[in-house]
Amino acid sequence: MKPRDLSAHVEYQAGRGIEEVARELGVDPDELVKLASNENPFGPSPAAVRAMQRAAERANSYPKASHADLVDRLAERWSVASEQVWLANGGDGALDYLARAMLEPGDDVLVPDPGFAYYGMSARYHHGDVREYDLSKADDFALAADTVLSAYDGERIVYLTSPHNPTGGRFSVDAVEDVADATADETLVVVDEAYGEYADAPSAVELLDARDDVAVLRTFSKAYGLAGVRLGYALVPEEWADAYARVNTPFAASELACRAGLAALDDDEHVRRSVETARWAREYLRTELDAPTWESHANFVLVAVGDATGVAADLRERGVIVRDCTSFGLPDCVRVTCGTEEETRTAVRELNEVLAE
């Protein structure tokens, strides 16, 4: 007895956890600065924490009311119908729902390289095939419609990440619309806006009013600081929104997650502080680091360091954890998450010293 052939599947390589590195180095986790996983350095909203504590007393109940309440709140926020909000267990769960709804066995999807590995992973789970469009370092990883369309060959789903991970670039809404206009009627353009709060730019959600071939992904993991809770959602065209009832995992968004999301949506000050600090930090990283960087619209900066694995290891010894981007196919780059002001200054100081050695 064996599982089905998984030889074409790849393993998701997450950034190393602070507890893991602390045990390896034999230090207290509080002594480390973790800037590897694009997490919110301020954590979740205190209001969200209180909401989860209260919800813990009702953890024996399925999250039917809280799920509906959160869907309605998100629909109001984005000016869409409640049926257009596909709530999920993280953004990854929303990607799975879209793949379930759209892919027949053998359908192709088109994903960015470098890019978020889970696009292809989710497609393969659902018996789809994966093709890539290349984002070239020689072109500063430019995110343009032509870059995508030059590789397009009738794929069922095309994934656009905006802001893009790991480069920090973004697609304009016009570019998203150009891709949607140039692709086949049966191609869905999925715009992953997991880092959307950090970008001073409009959302592709505005395209949903007039189109049935664009969906947008959002998450509570980044600006809202709820990565450990796993809460995300897709916003889809009204014409096929009722597919959610046929593809979703029952109660995938937990009672604690839904209550945390509702509270987090009310705490505008927490999001404002998180976004403003990230914008300061990414500018500080770009201006103060003694290494080439790329303009970022997210809460991280991509840095060219030569030997990414060696530099990341040296930084770990100094108590700073960054993301070695070798797993993205960028063995000469590290990705540095925007931390607090103190964490960011520490990261810049230590990285500059490593680079000078």
Side-chain angles (χ1 to χ4, degrees):
M1 175 64 181
K2 295 182 179 179
R4 67 185 174 98
D5 181 12
L6 299 174
S7 58
H9 293 244
V10 297
E11 178 183 354
Y12 180 71
Q13 299 181 36
R16 301 190 68 196
I18 197 165
E19 294 84 1
E20 175 189 5
V21 175
R23 286 195 296 267
E24 179 184 296
L25 298 177
V27 300
D28 189 304
D30 291 338
E31 298 177 29
L32 300 176
V33 174
K34 184 191 176 188
L35 302 178
S37 299
N38 301 338
E39 295 155 336
N40 188 326
F42 299 117
S45 156
V49 173
R50 291 192 295 271
M52 286 188 284
Q53 291 170 337
R54 292 192 297 269
E57 298 176 359
R58 301 189 300 276
N60 61 309
S61 299
Y62 290 112
K64 197 168 190 311
S66 59
H67 186 287
D69 290 346
L70 181 54
V71 164
D72 288 345
R73 285 286 306 282
L74 290 168
E76 180 182 6
R77 170 158 293 210
W78 291 107
S79 300
V80 298
S82 294
E83 293 75 18
Q84 294 177 256
V85 181
W86 289 16
L87 202 62
N89 179 30
D92 307 340
L95 289 170
D96 283 342
Y97 292 164
L98 292 170
R100 291 181 197 177
M102 306 305 295
L103 296 181
E104 299 281 0
D107 278 350
D108 289 340
V109 304
L110 189 62
V111 307
D113 180 31
F116 184 38
Y118 198 74
Y119 302 144
M121 292 170 67
S122 180
R124 292 186 181 101
Y125 295 157
H126 297 89
H127 304 280
D129 295 323
V130 180
R131 298 182 64 252
E132 298 176 338
Y133 60 91
D134 292 328
L135 301 178
S136 169
K137 187 188 296 184
D139 294 330
D140 285 333
F141 304 107
L143 298 178
D146 288 346
T147 303
V148 181
L149 295 172
S150 63
Y152 173 73
D153 188 27
E155 287 79 11
R156 177 64 158 151
I157 303 178
V158 174
Y159 294 91
L160 311 179
T161 320
S162 185
H164 177 261
N165 179 22
T167 69
R170 67 174 180 84
F171 285 95
S172 68
V173 174
D174 287 343
V176 174
E177 190 160 29
D178 287 344
V179 171
D181 283 341
T183 50
D185 290 344
E186 295 303 311
T187 293
L188 175 68
V189 178
V190 175
V191 187
D192 182 351
E193 295 184 347
Y195 301 96
E197 285 82 8
Y198 298 103
D200 186 14
S203 168
V205 174
E206 67 184 48
L207 300 177
L208 269 60
D209 284 342
R211 309 195 67 102
D212 67 355
D213 56 355
V214 174
V216 178
L217 186 76
R218 284 271 172 162
T219 184
F220 284 85
S221 293
K222 308 304 180 184
Y224 290 97
L226 293 172
V229 173
R230 312 308 300 130
L231 183 64
Y233 57 99
L235 299 164
V236 308
E238 193 167 10
E239 289 85 346
W240 48 273
D242 61 352
Y244 180 61
R246 297 174 175 84
V247 301
N248 72 19
T249 301
F251 307 114
S254 72
E255 175 71 11
L256 270 66
C258 290
R259 294 299 175 189
L262 283 162
L265 287 172
D266 281 336
D267 194 346
D268 293 335
E269 175 58 25
H270 181 74
V271 174
R272 183 199 63 76
R273 178 192 184 203
S274 301
V275 169
E276 287 186 357
T277 301
R279 290 176 179 173
W280 171 86
R282 69 193 185 202
E283 184 62 25
Y284 186 84
L285 287 162
R286 294 200 69 210
T287 57
E288 299 299 323
L289 279 174
D290 298 331
T293 62
W294 284 266
E295 182 182 13
S296 174
H297 300 271
N299 69 331
F300 55 81
V301 171
L302 186 68
V303 188
V305 296
D307 174 13
T309 301
V311 167
D314 289 345
L315 281 173
R316 275 198 305 275
E317 294 295 327
R318 292 168 171 263
V320 178
I321 310 170
V322 299
R323 181 66 183 266
D324 173 0
C325 287
T326 300
S327 62
F328 286 98
L330 299 172
D332 59 343
C333 292
V334 298
R335 190 190 65 197
V336 184
T337 301
C338 298
T340 64
E341 289 195 16
E342 180 181 359
E343 290 172 338
T344 303
R345 294 183 192 277
T346 297
V348 167
R349 182 183 68 248
E350 298 298 336
L351 180 50
N352 282 342
E353 289 185 6
V354 167
L355 293 172
E357 290 177 350

